Amino acid sequence: MKLFARELRLLLRDRAAWALVLLFAGVLAYALWNGADLARRQRDTARAIEQSTAAFDKQVREVLGVQAIDPRQLARQPLTASFTPAPLPLLASGQADLAPMHESVSLFRLEQPSDARVEIENPSRLLAGRFDLAFVLVWLFPLFLLALAYDLIAGDRESGTLRMVLARGVAPWKWIAVRAIARGAPVLALALAATLLSGWSADAAVGARLAFACAVVLAYGLFWLAVAALVNGFAKSAASAASAAGAAWVGIVLVIPTWLNVLVESLHPMPSRAELVASARQAAGDAERRGSELLSSFYKDHPEWMPPGMQADFMQQLLAQQDEVGRAIDPVRERFAAELRDQQSMVETWRFLSPAIATHEALTDLAGTGYWRTEAFRAQVAAFKQRVEDFYAPRIHGNKPITKDDLAALPRFTFAEEPDAAWQGRVLASIAGKLGLVMLVLLIALRRISARVLAVSSA
Amino acid sequence: MLEAKQLTKRFQDRVAVNGLDLRVAPGEIYGLLGPNGAGKTTTINLFLGFLSPDGGCAVIDGVDVAADPVGARRKLAYIPEQVALYPRFTGVENLEYFSALGGRSHTPNELYELLERAGLPRAAADRRVGTYSKGMRQKVGVALALATGAKVLLLDEPTSGLDPAASHDFSQLLRRLAKEQVAILMATHDLFRAREDATRVGILIGGKLAAEYSRRELEKADLEKLYLERLRA
Amino acid sequence: MIARIARKEFVDAWRDGRFRVGAVLMALLLVTASLLAWKQTERAATERAAAAALERTNWLEQGEKNSHSAGHYGVNVFKPVSPLGLFDRGIEPFVGTTLFLEAHRQNQASFVPAQDATSMRRFGELTASTGLQLLAPLLVILLAFGCIAGERERGTLRQVLSLGVSPRALVLGKTLGLGAALASLLVPIGVAGALLFTRLDTDHVDGLGGRAAGLALAYGLFLGTVLALSVTVSALASSARNALALLLTLWAGACIVAPRLVTDTVHDALPTPTLAEFELEMNQDLQSGLDGHDPRSKRLEEFAQKTLKEHGVANVMELPFNFQGHVMLESERMAGEVFDHHFGTLWDRIEEQDRAVTLAGVVSPLLALRSASMALAGTDFAHHRHFSTAAEQHRREFVRVLNEDLKRNAKPGDHGYVAGRALWESLPEFRLAAFPVERAVERAGLGLALLAGWFLAACAALFFAAGRLRVSVA
């Protein structure tokens, strides 16, 4: 404890350290402020959609109160599936600037790819990425930690003071540990505080998510302190400790993730969107040409929908065609989801190659802007499309008007959040894996940091 | 020929060299003694032109150092306390590089010969300098002084940290150079070597030459006693 | 003398184990990244060509229908892959690849590759360009941080200067030697990469050689700047350790923080509308005209009256052509004005944002380099806009031909008119004219100019630092 207090005092006397800590605080504050913009935009969009959905609902209710509606007419109105804003958008913007916040679902365009429309954004901004909290925590936080803690003993070793200290009987690992924690403490504390602050304006109850986020950040910070210790076990001078720490950062934060990214996309290449579009149109053309023949075969599959006297109207025919197109291209579309799933599982498998990946994955998962929640939205929209079809198709084929009694059964979309246990499991695994890595690194470092090795090599 | 006239250097509030008058003729070995902080290294730096004087001038072979530092340096050789070499180069590569920078070109054989004259055998000359002991580095420094053929040699505590045998070899070399009419200025703490080798000894205290002894005076007196007397005066 | 110093520095660099390890890693990364990107580029090119062929068949075999209906049937065009994109993918992963051309509407390119990707994409992509932009400066720093500060600490600096070497010659020689060591690593890789380009289909690229030369110039200036600055810092710093710390801080600031910080700041100052706002305003203008008080119905009514007067008839059925087709032509023309205005404003804004970010290259040379690199590789927004504009021109022409056909060949009031394969075949396939290399160079001009400015400033700093070279640590 005395050692710890002494180290902290030393740190407080260091003007460069003060500057670093203050800079880090400033960077965190900017990231929180900057991330608020995206969160606000998401909330505004969600609110606008909610209002227009409510207005439409009210209108339908009013009309149905007076008269029945032809299902063809109502089905033509597109329904909006709205993605609930992420629980912790300030923590990590993740895919939020790319993934659509809502999708339009319309019976007669069910086979139209839903992700065709994109929010307006300068592509260079998507390329650069946002200055959000996750950026600061994953990319910059380790830099600040290393800047404060890279020279745990290397400098003393170089100047020879290490020999004098060791000669006084201080256990080197203890000295390093205390030093690392004391020097890392201010930056760690700031990172944790910012993580907590990201829940400030959250709508829902996010206590558990914040607690997990703190654990993720803490484990990540400990990993980098362990790296600092490891580097000091090997480096003979402060300069070589600094370059080794820098190299570790470049490797773990820059090179491995980008390389893994390229590898994942090369091993699990996405099928061609271009070919999907073209083949969908080919299928549609075929279906249209086969026209009435198609319809009769359709009614063979769905005798319950066959209108009396087999007089199919235009819309019924359209639905039958759409069904056929779906049959043709659904396998291709499924391949997109499957490849993306494979990519994600490959990322899951290899994320511990670089704790930066594991941390980024965990933070976006907690923020609700990562793969899992977005995937859940996609799946729920697909299910919703099915519900829309199941509701309208029999009514259109059977020429059954929609009445007041159908009000409750009208398809409406509400996004159901994943059960807490699902994300907790994933994040816990991530934290455990990272702590395991910390242990491993510390073990290697400890073997190097024995008094004997240090005393001899600093001669 | 090496000369200081009223040479003065101030650092902020402190006068490091104060009106120093000094003259080393060809063939002379001048031992500059003095406690730590007396201004020995500052004097060497002034002769090297690494510092510019606040008064007076340092002259190397007729060239005013302050006016033309690069030209003055071309006329001298310098061996510091720690001869600094490039660790990833061999001894002979270091010598070749440094002498080329000094404007001399030598055949490989000449370089090996120079190193051998300085006391470094051929086998050692082909090893990387990173593996050298201090004495070996010092020998490369001497070889470099030989290679440049300079008529002025500046030494900054050249024998500190050398073992007695190496120190002896070094002084033999110095004497040989002096015979070749080189003017040698040697700043040192090594009273023994100063007494043995120097033709004249000056004691520098507070940037001033407190005393000067000729060869003849040194042979009669005990240098250590004279030095301590001066220091306490 | 300078040559001798440079030669020694060159040999010394390659004898340095750290540099050798860094160089091998760098070479490995550049080579694997380029090969993977090459495969991807080839695959994407084949896929899009196949899709384009299929789409042409779809178009030709759509069957007989009203020519305006064919306009609604529409056609998909696919963005050709820029072969230099294997060097610098630029914004390609973040812009749509497919554009649906149909009557009445100008669409935006859809299917953004990044949407079909995991959030790993946020770490960026390893291409030769990112390697050279982010990692090569680190290699330069590693090579140069100690080149003078280290010699000062070791004492060799005193020794070298005591031999009568002028400080400027020493610093210049060192810089040249280190530059040569770096070039001996990167130039062969660059040449190999250039050979890779020639194996790709480069038909629709204008001035490949010029672009490659421009890229070499841009990266040369950038790395030259980094080298000169590193040597300058090494010359001025009190110790090698401080030089390294300062250089790494500058690197992190310029290469990691600046791109995001500047981009976010610029976008706050020059915002783009949201999709909802954009579509709302455009639809309003489509209805009530650009000036806002001239409803579409009123203008079409006036147009009808004018047409009747011109032909001296009282009823549209008496016109010598199909009036529906005639009106369709006019309304497309009117809509075209609105589209030109709105898309033009939006795209101008995006280019304005990009220019502002490039201008911030005054602060971080990386931003200038990125912009120049993307422009020369053909993967910047200007190239994307070129594709979007060309596709829109194609759309207008193809819708015009279809409406013209309706106007000419359908009898007045005939709703049963159908056209067939002959008409479909008369419409050419979409071919994107190559983006002229002069315009690409013009786009890269600002970035290149800033890089040149940086390079000159860094050389001046180097010259200045060499003049005030301190010899000893104290």
Side-chain angles (χ1 to χ4, degrees):
Chain A
M1 212 54 229
K2 230 194 267 166
L3 269 176
F4 185 79
R6 191 190 72 103
E7 276 305 323
L8 259 187
R9 264 205 312 279
L10 270 180
L11 188 69
L12 290 180
R13 245 180 256 163
D14 183 354
R15 224 182 302 159
W18 268 102
L20 275 175
V21 171
L22 282 179
L23 184 63
F24 187 55
V27 167
L28 285 169
Y30 175 75
L32 282 173
W33 174 78
N34 196 40
D37 165 55
L38 190 68
R40 198 167 37 241
R41 208 153 140 174
Q42 283 204 340
R43 251 204 310 268
D44 289 350
T45 314
R47 200 164 299 144
I49 292 170
E50 206 178 306
Q51 278 166 5
S52 74
T53 310
F56 176 67
D57 230 43
K58 195 170 150 233
Q59 210 183 338
V60 172
R61 217 172 275 273
E62 278 170 4
V63 175
L64 279 180
V66 183
Q67 64 186 80
I69 308 179
D70 183 352
R72 289 169 188 75
Q73 219 180 1
L74 197 55
R76 233 182 303 178
Q77 301 293 328
L79 296 165
T80 309
S82 167
F83 195 10
T84 318
L88 275 176
L90 283 190
L91 184 62
S93 53
Q95 295 283 74
D97 49 356
L98 267 173
M101 272 298 289
H102 55 91
E103 276 186 21
S104 224
V105 176
S106 160
L107 179 66
F108 297 109
R109 312 194 81 163
L110 282 184
E111 294 308 329
Q112 197 113 102
S114 50
D115 30 13
R117 272 153 46 107
V118 261
E119 183 52 60
I120 291 177
E121 183 68 282
N122 184 336
S124 324
R125 187 182 207 189
L126 298 172
L127 171 66
R130 279 175 188 261
F131 202 110
D132 60 353
L133 191 59
F135 166 66
V136 176
L137 290 176
V138 174
W139 273 261
L140 304 183
F141 170 50
L143 273 184
F144 279 93
L145 265 184
L146 289 177
L148 284 172
Y150 76 90
D151 183 13
L152 295 173
I153 50 167
D156 287 327
R157 196 167 174 172
E158 187 178 20
S159 62
T161 33
L162 180 63
R163 284 169 74 83
M164 300 186 46
V165 171
L166 293 180
R168 295 181 53 90
V170 177
W173 64 266
K174 192 172 157 196
W175 197 42
I176 285 198
V178 165
R179 245 189 153 167
I181 292 172
R183 298 194 67 97
V187 169
L188 266 175
L190 279 174
L192 291 176
T195 308
L196 285 176
L197 273 178
S198 72
W200 186 256
S201 63
D203 295 327
V206 287
R209 283 180 187 265
L210 284 179
F212 274 83
C214 284
V216 168
V217 171
L218 190 65
Y220 191 51
L222 286 179
F223 169 79
W224 284 104
L225 288 178
V227 167
L230 181 66
V231 158
N232 273 269
F234 288 90
K236 290 213 167 62
S237 69
S240 65
S243 27
W249 184 85
V250 169
I252 289 170
V253 179
L254 281 191
V255 177
I256 294 179
T258 49
W259 206 75
L260 185 61
N261 186 12
V262 173
L263 209 62
V264 163
E265 287 182 17
S266 301
L267 289 181
H268 298 287
M270 280 290 156
S272 160
R273 279 284 181 194
E275 285 189 87
L276 174 63
V277 169
S279 18
R281 279 163 65 84
Q282 189 184 31
D286 286 348
E288 206 180 311
R289 262 190 297 285
R290 283 166 57 205
S292 50
E293 174 208 340
L294 191 69
L295 197 65
S296 57
S297 79
F298 176 79
Y299 285 131
K300 237 175 263 159
D301 293 342
H302 300 281
E304 73 280 11
W305 287 350
M306 186 148 69
M310 274 259 333
Q311 284 293 322
D313 66 4
F314 175 66
M315 295 224 175
Q316 290 163 342
Q317 195 159 331
L318 205 66
L319 279 183
Q321 280 169 20
Q322 183 167 283
D323 201 59
E324 180 65 13
V325 174
R327 207 163 312 168
I329 62 169
D330 272 350
V332 188
R333 200 171 296 155
E334 179 43 38
R335 261 178 57 215
F336 276 91
E339 290 292 350
L340 194 59
R341 255 197 314 274
D342 286 350
Q343 286 193 355
Q344 182 64 26
S345 76
M346 189 173 163
V347 171
E348 300 278 305
T349 313
W350 295 100
R351 67 188 151 162
F352 292 115
L353 263 187
S354 153
I357 302 175
T359 304
H360 190 255
E361 288 291 310
L363 289 180
T364 51
D365 199 354
L366 287 168
T369 53
Y371 167 82
W372 296 101
R373 200 164 165 274
T374 315
E375 192 50 37
F377 178 61
R378 275 185 203 168
Q380 291 181 26
V381 170
F384 180 61
K385 285 183 172 175
Q386 191 60 54
R387 284 222 309 280
V388 168
E389 191 179 359
D390 290 349
F391 179 82
Y392 283 111
R395 287 177 170 80
I396 289 178
H397 285 294
N399 283 322
K400 273 188 281 183
I402 294 170
T403 63
K404 240 189 329 204
D405 304 333
D406 292 321
L407 253 177
L410 273 177
R412 292 183 189 87
F413 183 84
T414 30
F415 177 67
E417 293 284 353
E418 272 189 302
D420 285 353
W423 60 261
Q424 281 170 355
R426 290 191 302 264
V427 176
L428 267 184
S430 165
I431 296 173
K434 244 181 308 177
L435 288 179
L437 262 180
V438 172
M439 289 302 169
L440 185 71
V441 173
L442 279 181
L443 217 67
I444 303 173
L446 265 183
R447 288 177 65 101
R448 292 288 310 182
I449 307 171
S450 67
R452 192 175 44 79
V453 173
L454 292 180
V456 172
S457 62
S458 64
Chain B
M1 165 87 164
L2 180 153
E3 200 173 2
K5 293 177 200 157
Q6 282 298 305
L7 193 61
T8 304
K9 179 70 194 174
R10 283 185 209 92
F11 292 117
Q12 279 118 36
D13 51 342
R14 196 169 59 85
V15 184
V17 176
N18 193 355
L20 180 70
D21 281 306
L22 190 75
R23 201 187 148 89
V24 184
E28 261 197 302
I29 301 178
Y30 191 103
L32 193 60
L33 298 178
N36 289 331
K40 298 190 300 294
T41 300
T42 305
T43 307
I44 299 274
N45 279 340
L46 286 164
F47 275 116
L48 281 165
F50 290 161
L51 293 173
S52 44
D54 296 314
C57 64
V59 180
I60 303 275
D61 217 12
V63 180
D64 183 343
V65 179
D68 180 12
V70 171
R73 288 177 203 154
R74 295 231 153 239
K75 295 178 176 289
L76 59 81
Y78 163 65
I79 304 178
E81 177 184 354
Q82 290 269 5
V83 172
L85 299 167
Y86 296 103
R88 285 188 290 264
F89 283 76
T90 65
V92 72
E93 281 172 338
N94 265 290
L95 180 62
E96 193 275 330
Y97 177 59
F98 280 114
S99 63
L101 290 190
R104 309 284 191 291
S105 69
H106 298 275
T107 64
N109 265 332
E110 285 169 350
L111 292 170
Y112 283 112
E113 253 166 52
L114 284 166
L115 285 169
E116 261 169 76
R117 262 179 75 195
L120 198 68
R122 200 172 258 261
D126 281 332
R127 287 213 324 260
R128 288 205 181 173
V129 163
T131 63
Y132 279 21
S133 69
K134 188 173 174 192
M136 291 164 82
R137 290 159 164 272
Q138 221 65 7
K139 283 170 184 162
V140 179
V142 173
L144 177 58
L146 295 172
T148 54
K151 287 295 156 202
V152 172
L153 184 57
L154 294 172
L155 304 170
D156 195 356
E157 302 190 14
T159 54
S160 85
L162 289 189
D163 63 47
S167 176
H168 173 79
D169 291 348
F170 187 75
S171 80
Q172 292 302 316
L173 273 163
L174 277 194
R175 290 182 190 200
R176 211 165 340 143
L177 284 171
K179 272 199 198 106
E180 291 167 17
Q181 293 303 301
V182 176
I184 300 173
L185 176 66
M186 173 169 72
T188 184
H189 285 302
D190 190 344
L191 296 181
F192 173 73
R193 282 265 72 96
R195 207 181 95 95
E196 289 293 299
D197 301 338
T199 50
R200 247 185 326 148
V201 165
I203 297 179
L204 200 62
I205 295 173
K208 275 189 172 152
L209 214 48
E212 215 178 51
Y213 304 99
S214 69
R215 174 96 240 152
R216 205 166 305 146
E217 287 169 291
L218 286 176
E219 273 164 13
K220 279 185 244 154
D222 178 358
L223 181 58
E224 185 170 10
K225 213 170 115 194
L226 291 174
Y227 179 80
L228 290 176
E229 269 172 18
R230 281 294 156 194
L231 210 57
R232 281 164 193 161
Chain C
M1 176 75 70
I2 291 175
R4 186 67 193 82
I5 296 170
R7 203 167 78 219
K8 177 253 155 193
E9 212 57 40
F10 178 84
V11 174
D12 208 7
W14 277 111
R15 283 187 187 177
D16 182 355
R18 280 179 313 181
F19 176 68
R20 276 212 300 257
V21 170
V24 168
L25 286 179
M26 183 85 209
L28 271 178
L29 283 179
L30 287 180
V31 170
T32 51
S34 302
L35 287 177
L36 288 174
W38 180 46
K39 283 210 64 151
Q40 259 186 0
T41 308
E42 269 202 331
R43 203 168 64 89
T46 331
E47 282 171 358
R48 289 187 202 175
L54 182 55
E55 188 59 7
R56 180 67 180 171
T57 319
N58 288 341
W59 170 255
L60 293 178
E61 285 171 9
Q62 60 178 309
E64 298 198 330
K65 56 175 72 152
N66 184 299
S67 35
H68 183 70
S69 301
H72 278 279
Y73 179 71
V75 66
N76 281 291
V77 295
F78 306 101
K79 190 175 173 187
V81 184
S82 167
L84 278 159
L86 82 83
F87 173 75
D88 186 344
R89 284 253 271 158
I91 62 165
E92 292 293 292
F94 300 98
V95 289
T97 50
T98 303
L99 196 47
F100 182 49
L101 311 182
E102 59 181 331
H104 307 307
R105 283 186 61 84
Q106 174 170 1
N107 293 315
Q108 289 201 76
S110 47
F111 301 121
V112 173
Q115 280 188 334
D116 287 325
T118 63
S119 49
M120 281 292 291
R121 191 159 272 291
R122 293 297 153 176
F123 282 93
E125 197 175 15
L126 187 71
T127 54
S129 65
T130 50
L132 289 174
Q133 287 170 1
L134 297 180
L135 303 179
L138 282 176
L139 193 64
V140 175
I141 290 173
L142 184 73
L143 193 63
F145 80 92
C147 79
I148 294 182
E151 290 221 14
R152 181 154 46 226
E153 279 168 328
R154 245 181 304 153
T156 37
L157 188 60
R158 280 173 80 80
Q159 204 130 307
V160 167
L161 291 176
S162 80
L163 291 163
V165 177
S166 95
R168 292 223 160 96
L170 180 71
V171 170
L172 183 61
K174 274 181 168 293
T175 313
L176 290 177
L178 294 177
L182 205 65
S184 67
L185 168 69
L186 295 180
V187 169
I189 298 177
V191 170
L195 289 178
L196 209 62
F197 285 143
T198 57
R199 304 211 36 187
L200 282 166
D201 168 31
T202 52
D203 291 346
H204 55 272
V205 183
D206 182 36
L208 189 68
R211 285 169 187 260
L215 284 172
L217 174 70
Y219 282 87
L221 283 174
F222 175 68
L223 292 176
T225 304
V226 178
L227 179 62
L229 283 182
S230 303
V231 178
T232 307
V233 168
S234 186
L236 295 176
S238 56
S239 67
R241 177 182 167 176
N242 285 347
L244 182 64
L246 179 59
L247 286 168
L248 288 180
T249 311
L250 287 176
W251 173 83
C255 297
I256 303 294
V257 175
R260 292 182 192 237
L261 186 63
V262 167
T263 311
D264 276 356
T265 312
V266 162
H267 287 240
D268 279 344
L270 303 168
T272 39
T274 63
L275 184 61
E277 288 165 2
F278 180 74
E279 288 189 336
L280 184 72
E281 275 183 32
M282 197 159 70
N283 288 336
Q284 267 170 7
D285 285 354
L286 283 174
Q287 282 312 312
S288 40
L290 276 179
D291 48 10
H293 42 71
D294 218 359
R296 189 177 127 90
S297 51
K298 191 177 134 214
R299 282 181 297 160
L300 285 179
E301 179 55 35
E302 280 169 10
F303 178 70
Q305 292 306 326
K306 208 180 95 198
T307 313
L308 290 179
K309 206 186 272 173
E310 267 172 19
H311 288 83
V313 291
N315 191 318
V316 291
M317 299 300 272
E318 294 162 29
L319 287 168
F321 46 74
N322 181 300
F323 182 65
Q324 235 183 350
H326 189 57
V327 167
M328 224 71 93
L329 282 167
E330 171 64 7
S331 77
E332 281 289 345
R333 195 196 57 75
M334 276 159 39
E337 283 174 0
V338 175
F339 293 139
D340 283 345
H341 173 72
H342 283 273
F343 279 96
T345 312
L346 175 66
W347 291 340
D348 283 347
R349 171 48 65 96
I350 289 179
E351 290 195 347
E352 205 182 333
Q353 291 175 339
D354 285 350
R355 206 162 27 246
V357 172
T358 310
L359 262 180
V362 173
V363 185
S364 158
L366 179 76
L367 296 172
L369 175 67
R370 272 203 178 163
S371 135
S373 174
M374 285 196 284
L376 291 166
T379 52
D380 68 342
F381 184 74
H383 283 77
H384 185 66
R385 183 176 184 168
H386 170 69
F387 162 71
S388 306
T389 312
E392 174 63 8
Q393 285 313 317
H394 184 74
R395 178 188 83 84
R396 292 200 189 158
E397 181 55 18
F398 121 98
V399 172
R400 193 193 61 76
V401 170
L402 292 174
N403 285 335
E404 200 76 54
D405 176 77
L406 185 68
K407 177 180 166 184
R408 258 173 236 298
N409 299 333
K411 293 195 184 70
D414 178 9
H415 290 285
Y417 169 71
V418 288
R421 194 174 170 111
L423 178 61
W424 313 152
E425 271 174 356
S426 74
L427 284 159
E429 258 184 279
F430 174 65
R431 289 247 179 274
L432 183 61
F435 191 85
V437 65
E438 302 82 37
R439 274 186 60 206
V441 170
E442 197 186 301
R443 291 279 154 190
L446 179 59
L448 284 173
L450 284 168
L451 283 173
W454 266 100
F455 183 67
L456 291 178
C459 288
L462 187 65
F463 189 73
F464 168 80
R468 328 185 6 150
L469 199 59
R470 280 175 307 133
V471 178
S472 34
V473 181

